[in-house]
């Protein structure tokens, strides 16, 4: 942040702002718009897209921007950008294609739509900031490949818990401490919650009940930890993670040595996991180890204890407040807050929330029929498990009992979806040899250019 704010101040002084566009004007999108328009110098929110443009206009109005123009063409959007005018549209692809925009922030939470936005933005040479862990956890690795080829950044965001974990992970590594757990602190986990049970909470905070449910039923935390795993190379110790629950308000430092089996933590590449009920919630933490006796002595002196696990934490995550920092990191420094380092390491698979019946069409994330569980990608592939990111819209071939994890053999996929095409590309690309990947990517790019809706 120290580097980022100085760089943005320079852009402000030069009257050369970073120009960003926003796709999605819901609860989080409105917060991002407010932050950029009112509190971030050196950055300009030039356009907002939403299916209902009245919501896009509302986001600008609440951010203090009263003069906006609805546009329906790339040329008109580009003209408005040149003239310093603000634009709204119901066509997100205009934002992806228009010149004069450095980066796109995608904040819809929709997988098929968000995948289309991300790929189109990349194809048009724009950095893409995903407030959409669902897309990232489903096809993020192959989108990162496309982004690298295009010379742009594909990244999750600072402020959201995965981004905060990754910042902390990088900090801990820079100390010479070995990170062995990246953890998330939650206040509730009940896989059987649904939009009906969460309606009151959602109304209190002005949020979408399905989105709130995806947090409560564990789907969202599964996605969050999956993309942290994909960004670090860590794995999960077991399907669904350990997810221990402690008495509400328990200080994390009091239980840190006993939360997870040490053999899971100290052996292998480390794990991603979470804990329910601990403080400081809703923060994040990294557990690290050090093998040098003198450094262990210093860590003890600095009140991190005798080990073997040393606790580092951030006691909050500030979501929309920090998203502009991610934009600046991408545009000005070509740096990602959190991005896959290779192929999938952890996936999020679909489990039945209730007894499901043959012929039913699977509903969306945070709804009534499924919840998400983390599973290591090699196991997911071996058992042909169905990622929850592709489950919506699938037709069930068989009855599925409650809590059973679905497989591809259990469903009929909808036709023509980009997310399914990218899943196949992702599997093929990362299964190929390094020498064959450039050739394969060229083939995939030609197909992708005709696949984006």
């Amino acid at each position: 942040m120290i580097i980022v704010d100085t760089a943005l101040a320079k852009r402000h002084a030069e009257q050369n702002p970073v120009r960003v566009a926003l796709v999605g004007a819901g609860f989080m999108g409105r917060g991002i718009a407010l932050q950029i328009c009112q509190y971030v110098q050196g950055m300009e929110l030039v356009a907002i897209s939403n299916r209902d443009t009245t919501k896009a206009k509302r986001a600008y109005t609440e951010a203090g921007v009263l003069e906006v123009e609805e546009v329906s063409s790339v040329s008109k959007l580009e003209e408005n950008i040149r003239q310093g005018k603000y634009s709204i549209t119901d066509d997100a692809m205009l934002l992806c294609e228009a010149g004069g925009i450095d980066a796109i922030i995608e904040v819809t939470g929709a997988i098929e739509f968000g995948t289309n936005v991300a790929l189109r933005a990349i194809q048009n040479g724009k950095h893409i900031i995903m407030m959409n862990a669902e897309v990232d956890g489903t096809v993020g690795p192959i989108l990162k490949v496309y982004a690298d080829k295009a010379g742009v950044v594909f990244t999750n965001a600072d402020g959201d818990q995965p981004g905060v974990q990754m910042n902390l992970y990088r900090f801990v590594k820079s100390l010479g401490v070995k990170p062995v757990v990246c953890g998330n602190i939650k206040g509730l986990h009940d896989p059987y919650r649904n939009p009906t049970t969460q309606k009151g909470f959602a109304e209190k905070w002005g949020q979408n009940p399905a989105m709130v449910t995806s947090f409560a039923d564990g789907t969202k935390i599964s996605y969050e930890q999956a993309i942290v795993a994909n960004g670090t190379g860590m794995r999960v110790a077991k399907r669904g993670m350990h997810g221990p629950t402690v008495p509400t308000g328990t200080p994390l430092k009091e239980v840190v040595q006993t939360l997870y089996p040490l053999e899971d933590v100290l052996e292998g590449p480390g794990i991603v996991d979470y804990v329910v009920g601990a403080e400081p919630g809703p923060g994040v933490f990294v557990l690290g180890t050090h093998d040098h006796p003198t450094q262990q002595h210093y860590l003890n002196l600095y009140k991190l204890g005798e080990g073997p696990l040393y606790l580092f934490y951030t006691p909050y995550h500030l979501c929309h407040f920090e998203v502009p920092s991610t934009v600046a990191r991408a545009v000005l420094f070509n740096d990602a807050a959190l991005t896959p380092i290779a192929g999938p390491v952890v996936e999020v698979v679909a489990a039945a929330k209730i007894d499901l019946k043959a012929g039913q069409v699977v509903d969306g994330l945070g709804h009534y029929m499924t919840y998400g569980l983390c599973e290591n990608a090699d196991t997911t592939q071996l058992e042909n498990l169905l990622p929850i990111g592709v489950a919506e819209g699938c037709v069930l071939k068989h009855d599925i009992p409650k809590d059973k994890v679905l497989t591809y053999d259990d469903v009929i996929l909808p036709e023509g979806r980009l997310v399914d095409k990218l899943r196949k590309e992702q599997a093929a690309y990362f299964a190929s040899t390094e020498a064959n990947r450039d050739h394969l990517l060229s083939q995939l790019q030609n197909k992708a250019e005709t696949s984006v809706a």
Side-chain angles (χ1 to χ4, degrees):
M1 180 58 192
I2 294 170
I3 294 175
V4 166
D5 62 359
T6 301
L8 285 173
K10 185 173 184 290
R11 293 290 288 254
H12 176 73
E14 295 170 347
Q15 298 184 18
N16 180 28
V18 173
R19 291 183 172 87
V20 62
L22 182 66
V23 177
F27 178 77
M28 192 59 62
R30 295 197 305 274
I32 294 169
L34 174 64
Q35 185 67 14
I36 294 174
C37 292
Q38 289 291 322
Y39 302 104
V40 181
Q41 62 175 352
M43 187 175 294
E44 187 173 350
L45 181 61
V46 297
I48 301 176
S49 173
N50 199 77
R51 287 178 301 176
D52 180 352
T53 55
T54 61
K55 293 183 178 179
K57 185 176 181 180
R58 175 188 173 185
Y60 265 131
T61 300
E62 292 181 358
V65 177
L66 304 182
E67 295 294 328
V68 300
E69 182 176 357
E70 187 165 348
V71 300
S72 57
S73 69
V74 169
S75 60
K76 183 59 178 174
L77 175 54
E78 290 176 337
E79 178 186 340
N80 281 1
I81 294 169
R82 287 192 298 269
Q83 294 180 358
K85 296 180 180 179
Y86 299 94
S87 301
I88 59 173
T89 181
D90 62 2
D91 185 353
M93 297 306 160
L94 300 185
L95 278 54
C96 298
E97 295 169 6
I101 296 174
D102 299 305
I104 303 289
I105 305 170
E106 205 288 331
V107 64
T108 67
I111 293 180
E112 176 68 7
F113 179 74
T115 300
N116 276 270
V117 169
L119 186 57
R120 185 67 66 86
I122 289 167
Q123 289 172 337
N124 284 275
K126 292 177 174 55
H127 304 289
I128 180 75
I129 290 83
M130 303 297 293
M131 289 289 288
N132 192 331
E134 294 84 353
V135 167
D136 199 340
T138 305
V139 289
I142 194 65
L143 288 172
K144 169 64 160 51
V145 171
Y146 279 114
D148 286 348
K149 192 74 172 180
V152 297
V153 171
F154 170 85
T155 180
N156 197 256
D158 292 281
D160 215 354
Q161 282 172 308
V164 180
Q165 285 178 73
M166 192 65 193
N167 289 339
L168 190 56
Y169 171 90
R170 288 172 64 173
F171 168 73
V172 171
K173 280 191 71 175
S174 75
L175 301 178
V177 176
K178 178 186 176 183
V180 294
V181 178
C182 284
N184 206 322
I185 304 171
K186 308 304 289 186
L188 169 70
H189 178 214
D190 177 356
Y192 311 118
R193 295 296 177 103
N194 60 51
T196 301
T197 65
Q198 304 310 112
K199 181 180 178 182
F201 183 90
E203 289 177 347
K204 175 182 177 180
W205 295 103
Q207 294 181 279
N208 183 308
M211 179 62 73
V212 171
T213 301
S214 74
F215 283 93
D217 72 10
T219 302
K220 177 67 80 169
I221 193 171
S222 295
Y223 268 119
E224 291 177 341
Q225 297 312 93
I227 66 175
V228 172
N230 292 343
T232 61
M234 291 183 171
R235 294 167 61 85
V236 291
K238 56 181 287 188
R239 182 174 296 173
M241 301 179 283
H242 285 295
T245 297
V246 299
T248 300
T250 300
L252 194 57
K253 63 182 180 181
E254 292 183 3
V255 294
V256 66
Q257 305 297 337
T258 59
L259 280 177
Y260 312 107
L262 281 180
E263 60 269 22
D264 290 344
V265 172
L266 299 179
E267 298 175 9
I271 65 171
V272 295
D273 216 293
Y274 67 101
V275 61
V276 178
E279 290 294 338
V284 306
F285 62 96
V286 169
L287 303 184
T289 64
H290 209 299
D291 59 5
H292 196 291
T294 302
Q295 298 291 54
Q296 293 171 357
H297 179 74
Y298 278 115
L299 289 169
N300 194 12
L301 171 68
Y302 300 144
K303 309 305 181 186
L304 269 68
E306 297 181 354
L309 300 177
Y310 300 99
L311 170 66
F312 302 83
Y313 63 87
T314 301
Y316 48 75
H317 67 289
L318 299 178
C319 291
H320 77 276
F321 285 96
E322 296 190 62
V323 172
S325 293
T326 316
V327 176
R329 288 172 65 175
V331 174
L332 303 178
F333 300 101
N334 205 46
D335 182 51
L338 171 60
T339 196
I341 56 174
V345 180
V346 171
E347 301 259 31
V348 184
V349 298
K353 189 176 288 189
I354 57 174
D355 290 335
L356 304 176
K357 302 298 181 183
Q360 286 183 308
V361 178
V362 179
D363 58 12
L365 304 183
H367 282 77
Y368 294 88
M369 297 174 71
T370 61
Y371 61 91
L373 293 171
C374 277
E375 179 56 276
N376 291 314
D378 51 2
T379 300
T380 300
Q381 182 178 16
L382 181 66
E383 298 183 12
N384 203 29
L385 303 180
L386 184 72
I388 197 169
V390 304
E392 183 176 0
C394 289
V395 179
L396 294 168
K397 295 180 182 178
H398 326 284
D399 292 354
I400 304 293
K402 182 179 178 180
D403 292 322
K404 183 180 183 296
V405 174
L406 281 69
T407 73
Y408 273 104
D409 296 328
D410 294 324
V411 300
I412 301 170
L413 295 173
E415 295 183 0
R417 297 190 305 188
L418 178 62
V419 69
D420 297 312
K421 295 176 183 178
L422 288 183
R423 288 283 306 180
K424 291 179 180 179
E425 292 180 9
Q426 184 166 274
Y429 181 85
F430 290 106
S432 66
T433 64
E434 199 72 39
N436 291 334
R437 285 183 178 180
D438 283 344
H439 175 68
L440 181 59
L441 181 60
S442 296
Q443 292 179 317
L444 297 181
Q445 283 179 311
N446 291 334
K447 292 179 181 178
E449 289 172 1
T450 62
S451 296
V452 179

